[in-house]
Amino acid sequence: MAQKNKLQFIILGLLNQQPLTGYDLTKAFDHEIGEFWQAQHSQIYPQLKRLEAQGLITHEVMISGEKLEKKLYHITETGQASLTTWITTGTPELTATKDEFILKLYFVRTNRDPRLPEMLTEQLRLHAEKLQHLQARLTTVFPTKASQTENFGHYLILQHALGRENYYVGWLQQTLAALPSES
Amino acid sequence: MAQKNKLQFIILGLLNQQPLTGYDLTKAFDHEIGEFWQAQHSQIYPQLKRLEAQGLITHEVMISGEKLEKKLYHITETGQASLTTWITTGTPELTATKDEFILKLYFVRTNRDPRLPEMLTEQLRLHAEKLQHLQARLTTVFPTKASQTENFGHYLILQHALGRENYYVGWLQQTLAALPSES
DNA sequence: GACAGCATGTAATCAGTTACATGATTCC
DNA sequence: GGAATCATGTAACTGATTACATGCTGTC
């Protein structure tokens, strides 16, 4: 069932928190939400038009300075209903993680393949960096116990991503250590 | 950089093990390799034509029964070189895992959201099933220590997927247990 | 003869990336 | 005045899914 256009729900979810322009939404994908989902402005602007045509959002035109027009989008009640339905409806399909490194590994036939140490070491470096980055994010975005329950979902997924990277790093270290010594 | 056409390398990798028809390749995505990558025949047949046009594979026509033609594809030396280059070249981009459930969680604002227990329980069931399935696969495909080093890459990624699901299940259980009691 | 499975292809559509294109505002 | 950033859009292309389309083989 492909992707079933998840972007529309991300936009609805973000607009449900506060009115935003297309530009604001684009920036959101460069920062916070970009940690686990990406979208470019060339995808966002047409999607906004479609959502508005469906009556899920509306916009008002704001003027910046002399004449620069920006469109501030608001979610409608219909939009909120659509968002709620999406969140409430079950998510019975586990999306396969298309990890290119894992794919390459599949075609390595023996544990004596001379490329293995280098391949694993590179991934170890990358995932250790990601782990560090997530650790820093978690402590800056959620410094206190109280802040964690304020934006609970965001806290959960950051913490989940951290745990996942932690597992990945451990697995890479173990696998590297278990390789037969080069000889 | 999008996907950079990984399908071509999967096909090359599979043909590097043995000659196969388009139909065989399609089936491979329903079974073994389908555990972590998907492709339909409508994507495979055109890709085979492109790979052949590039000289990375060739085919011979086989006759089944009276007149059913099948095309048995072989990898060429150029194809093997291309496969090796792909595996050997670094994999510096970590693909973000686009997990729809995680995305939904992001829009849940408080730990008292009444939808949380149900959402987490459903995922727990799904990932526990996946975990069991992977465990069964690992013991049937790699019953002995010796078999593990025979097809080392496949063993590694199955074992990696198992560990990942194991982490996911544990995280879901922990998160469920830590929710405030319903009242 | 019916049916499941073998075998190969194309067409239409959708999601997502990259590139093209334009203009205003703010700060130095 | 120049540069970075704000702000909005379209076009071209790629990767992937779904649907359309056809015919043969082996088994009951």
Side-chain angles (χ1 to χ4, degrees):
Chain A
M1 191 159 290
Q3 302 287 80
K4 195 88 191 308
N5 198 357
K6 282 157 201 144
L7 177 62
Q8 63 179 314
F9 298 113
I10 301 174
I11 292 176
L12 288 176
L14 292 171
L15 292 184
N16 196 41
Q17 292 165 30
Q18 60 187 304
L20 295 166
T21 66
Y23 189 79
D24 294 333
L25 284 164
T26 303
K27 275 191 308 180
F29 284 95
D30 294 337
H31 306 127
E32 184 160 311
I33 202 163
E35 209 78 65
F36 52 97
W37 210 275
Q38 288 81 45
Q40 282 74 41
H41 76 277
S42 60
Q43 210 184 346
I44 290 166
Y45 287 111
Q47 185 64 63
L48 284 169
K49 287 202 169 174
R50 282 194 294 272
L51 285 170
E52 187 159 36
Q54 289 173 261
L56 304 181
I57 60 175
T58 53
H59 82 267
E60 54 177 321
V61 174
M62 315 282 283
I63 302 292
S64 256
E66 288 293 299
K67 49 179 166 175
L68 180 59
E69 294 191 353
K70 9 185 216 177
K71 296 180 180 174
L72 196 62
Y73 286 92
H74 302 254
I75 194 167
T76 64
E77 274 178 41
T78 319
Q80 286 178 325
S82 173
L83 177 62
T84 300
T85 300
W86 174 66
I87 293 174
T88 308
T89 304
T91 316
E93 274 156 77
L94 303 183
T95 37
T97 47
K98 297 200 160 186
D99 182 328
E100 188 171 5
F101 168 69
I102 291 295
L103 190 59
K104 287 182 183 181
L105 264 194
Y106 180 76
F107 296 110
V108 172
R109 313 300 285 177
T110 85
N111 62 358
R112 297 208 165 257
D113 193 301
R115 298 168 297 189
L116 270 176
E118 204 180 328
M119 289 171 74
L120 290 163
T121 304
E122 183 195 28
Q123 294 298 309
L124 181 56
R125 181 177 58 73
L126 290 168
H127 284 279
E129 270 169 25
K130 182 90 186 265
L131 179 61
Q132 262 202 299
H133 167 75
L134 287 168
Q135 239 145 12
R137 286 280 298 163
L138 198 64
T139 47
T140 53
V141 183
F142 299 101
T144 64
K145 276 261 172 194
S147 61
Q148 292 170 9
T149 44
E150 242 167 67
N151 225 314
F152 193 58
H154 188 195
Y155 170 70
L156 277 187
I157 68 175
L158 256 183
Q159 187 231 334
H160 169 84
L162 187 85
R164 191 187 51 209
E165 287 304 322
N166 196 48
Y167 161 70
Y168 209 131
V169 165
W171 176 78
L172 286 167
Q173 285 170 335
Q174 256 180 268
T175 305
L176 256 169
L179 286 184
S181 54
E182 294 178 74
S183 50
Chain B
M1 191 159 289
Q3 301 287 79
K4 195 85 190 311
N5 198 357
K6 282 155 202 146
L7 177 62
Q8 62 179 314
F9 298 113
I10 302 174
I11 291 176
L12 288 177
L14 292 171
L15 292 183
N16 196 41
Q17 292 165 31
Q18 60 187 305
L20 296 167
T21 66
Y23 190 79
D24 294 334
L25 285 164
T26 303
K27 275 191 306 179
F29 284 94
D30 293 337
H31 307 127
E32 184 161 311
I33 202 162
E35 209 79 66
F36 52 96
W37 210 276
Q38 289 79 46
Q40 283 72 39
H41 76 276
S42 60
Q43 210 184 345
I44 290 166
Y45 287 111
Q47 185 64 62
L48 284 168
K49 286 202 170 174
R50 281 195 294 274
L51 284 169
E52 187 159 37
Q54 289 173 263
L56 304 182
I57 60 176
T58 53
H59 81 267
E60 54 177 322
V61 174
M62 314 283 282
I63 302 291
S64 256
E66 287 294 299
K67 49 180 164 174
L68 180 60
E69 293 193 352
K70 15 185 210 174
K71 296 180 179 173
L72 195 64
Y73 286 93
H74 301 253
I75 194 167
T76 64
E77 273 180 43
T78 320
Q80 287 179 324
S82 172
L83 177 63
T84 299
T85 301
W86 173 67
I87 293 174
T88 308
T89 304
T91 316
E93 275 156 77
L94 303 184
T95 37
T97 48
K98 297 199 160 186
D99 181 327
E100 188 172 5
F101 168 70
I102 290 296
L103 190 59
K104 288 183 181 179
L105 264 194
Y106 180 74
F107 296 111
V108 171
R109 313 300 286 177
T110 85
N111 62 359
R112 298 208 165 256
D113 192 301
R115 297 169 295 189
L116 270 176
E118 204 180 329
M119 290 172 74
L120 291 164
T121 304
E122 184 197 26
Q123 293 300 308
L124 182 55
R125 182 177 58 74
L126 290 167
H127 284 280
E129 269 170 25
K130 182 91 187 261
L131 179 60
Q132 261 202 303
H133 167 75
L134 287 168
Q135 240 145 11
R137 287 280 298 163
L138 199 63
T139 46
T140 53
V141 183
F142 299 101
T144 64
K145 277 261 172 195
S147 62
Q148 293 170 10
T149 44
E150 240 167 67
N151 225 313
F152 192 59
H154 188 195
Y155 170 70
L156 277 188
I157 68 175
L158 257 183
Q159 186 231 335
H160 170 84
L162 187 86
R164 192 188 50 209
E165 287 304 322
N166 195 49
Y167 161 70
Y168 209 130
V169 165
W171 177 78
L172 286 166
Q173 285 171 336
Q174 257 181 266
T175 305
L176 257 169
L179 286 185
S181 54
E182 293 179 72
S183 50

